[in-house]
Amino acid sequence: MSAAAFDTSGDPVLDRRLDWARAFLAEGDFAAAAELLAETVEAAPNFAAAWFLLGEAREGQGESEAAREAYGRALALDPADRLGAGLRRARLGGAPEGAMSAAYVRTLFDQYADRFDTALREKLAYRGPELLLEAVRAACDDLGRELRFGAALDLGCGTGLAGVLFAPLVERLDGVDLSPAMLEKARALGLYAALEAGEMGAALGAMPAGGLDLVIAADALCYVGDLAPIFHAARAALASGGLFAFTLETHEGEGVLLRETLRYAHGEGYVRALAQDVGLDVVLLERASTRSEKSVPVPGLVGVLAAG
């Protein structure tokens, strides 16, 4: 789609309505926002951002079907789904839960990069990298091996929060992330031998078979619904005895759940079954919260799997 259809209607007067609508949404006045946005999309039917906000307003009013329709129009106008309309529809039950679009994740974190570390640490009490390191240390103790690795890959490395802790333990650390802005922050640390802007599963799949001794994913897999491709790729990329360490958000049920935060939660049984299916041994899989939301710990898992 054209940039104009996504970012602007081409009419400055209509564009200003989006700012007013966002203000109404922030105040919880969904009816006023919906009325304004309905007028906007009538005047500019190809304005994807206006359709998306109309979906938010309808959703706030409890009008699920109308919200699904608005999100559907936004998605049709922006197939790359930079705003996450597909996820919103999936959460409302209007479409099967598919993969979270790469464009959505890239847009989200490119905008977030400058305040990412501060927001995670100070507002969300984030401690994913620390939990991951503790888990890998405990797994090494259980396996009777040294806490040292050759080649390691940091999946969804972000600004390098996990890299700071793991770099001293490896001979070579590479990283992959969808967000170029986040990678710039990670590059400034000088810890990574190579950084790639790309999708996690693709990066793993491009690795030589048995070429990695450690794969880590701190707070990254919650943006992936179906973990099977990544688990399969990790198994193929790991050398014998290599470890795959990760944190996840979880829930009490079975399978995979798309949470209100538009992050995926994976059931413990799902993770154990998947590890068995791909041939990875569960060394450690424990309940642990990596972050809080509204001062409430988010249920999570920390896991370490080993390649036989």
Side-chain angles (χ1 to χ4, degrees):
M1 64 180 293
S2 68
F6 177 78
D7 296 320
T8 175
S9 65
D11 183 337
V13 175
L14 292 178
D15 290 352
R16 282 197 293 273
R17 290 184 181 182
L18 252 64
D19 293 330
W20 301 337
R22 290 189 181 100
F24 284 136
L25 289 171
E27 295 169 358
D29 193 343
F30 300 112
E35 180 179 359
L36 182 61
L37 289 161
E39 294 173 355
T40 303
V41 296
E42 183 177 1
N46 292 327
F47 196 0
W51 280 109
F52 181 84
L53 288 180
L54 180 57
E56 287 192 337
R58 296 301 192 203
E59 189 175 349
Q61 290 179 295
E63 299 177 4
S64 296
E65 187 58 39
R68 284 193 291 266
E69 181 181 351
Y71 288 137
R73 292 293 295 272
L75 183 59
L77 290 164
D78 177 26
D81 198 14
R82 285 168 282 184
L83 294 172
L87 287 174
R88 299 292 187 116
R89 279 177 55 82
R91 191 188 63 190
L92 292 171
E97 291 185 13
M100 188 176 296
S101 78
Y104 167 70
V105 177
R106 185 180 302 112
T107 299
L108 177 68
F109 285 101
D110 276 352
Q111 294 173 347
Y112 198 19
D114 286 340
R115 64 185 191 281
F116 181 76
D117 291 6
T118 300
L120 279 183
R121 295 299 198 182
E122 297 182 4
K123 295 182 179 180
L124 302 179
Y126 176 63
R127 59 193 189 105
E130 290 78 11
L131 286 174
L132 204 59
L133 179 58
E134 292 171 13
V136 171
R137 180 178 287 113
C140 288
D141 287 344
D142 288 346
L143 295 169
R145 61 165 292 170
E146 185 181 4
L147 186 64
R148 293 290 306 175
F149 303 91
L153 179 62
D154 186 356
L155 300 179
C157 63
T159 60
L161 290 174
V164 170
L165 298 182
F166 281 90
L169 308 178
V170 304
E171 294 178 12
R172 177 188 173 96
L173 178 63
D174 294 339
V176 59
D177 198 280
L178 280 169
S179 167
M182 299 285 272
L183 289 175
E184 284 303 309
K185 301 289 185 182
R187 187 169 289 109
L189 298 174
L191 300 174
Y192 293 89
L195 288 165
E196 176 187 351
E199 190 268 327
M200 295 183 289
L204 271 173
M207 291 289 168
L212 293 174
D213 302 295
L214 176 66
V215 176
I216 60 173
D219 205 44
L221 300 184
C222 56
Y223 297 101
V224 181
D226 180 9
L227 294 178
I230 286 180
F231 273 49
H232 277 286
R235 177 64 186 88
L238 283 170
S240 179
L243 301 182
F244 177 26
F246 53 84
T247 64
L248 292 169
E249 293 187 11
T250 194
H251 63 107
E252 295 301 326
E254 299 295 324
V256 184
L257 172 71
L258 180 61
R259 300 178 63 230
E260 288 294 313
T261 55
L262 301 183
R263 292 157 63 94
Y264 289 104
H266 300 83
E268 182 176 345
Y270 168 88
V271 178
R272 290 187 181 276
L274 183 54
Q276 182 176 7
D277 287 346
V278 304
L280 289 168
D281 299 324
V282 177
V283 182
L284 180 151
L285 188 63
E286 299 177 347
R287 295 295 179 107
S289 177
T290 64
R291 57 191 281 154
S292 295
E293 290 171 7
K294 298 180 181 179
S295 301
V296 177
V298 176
L301 294 168
V302 58
V304 182
L305 313 180

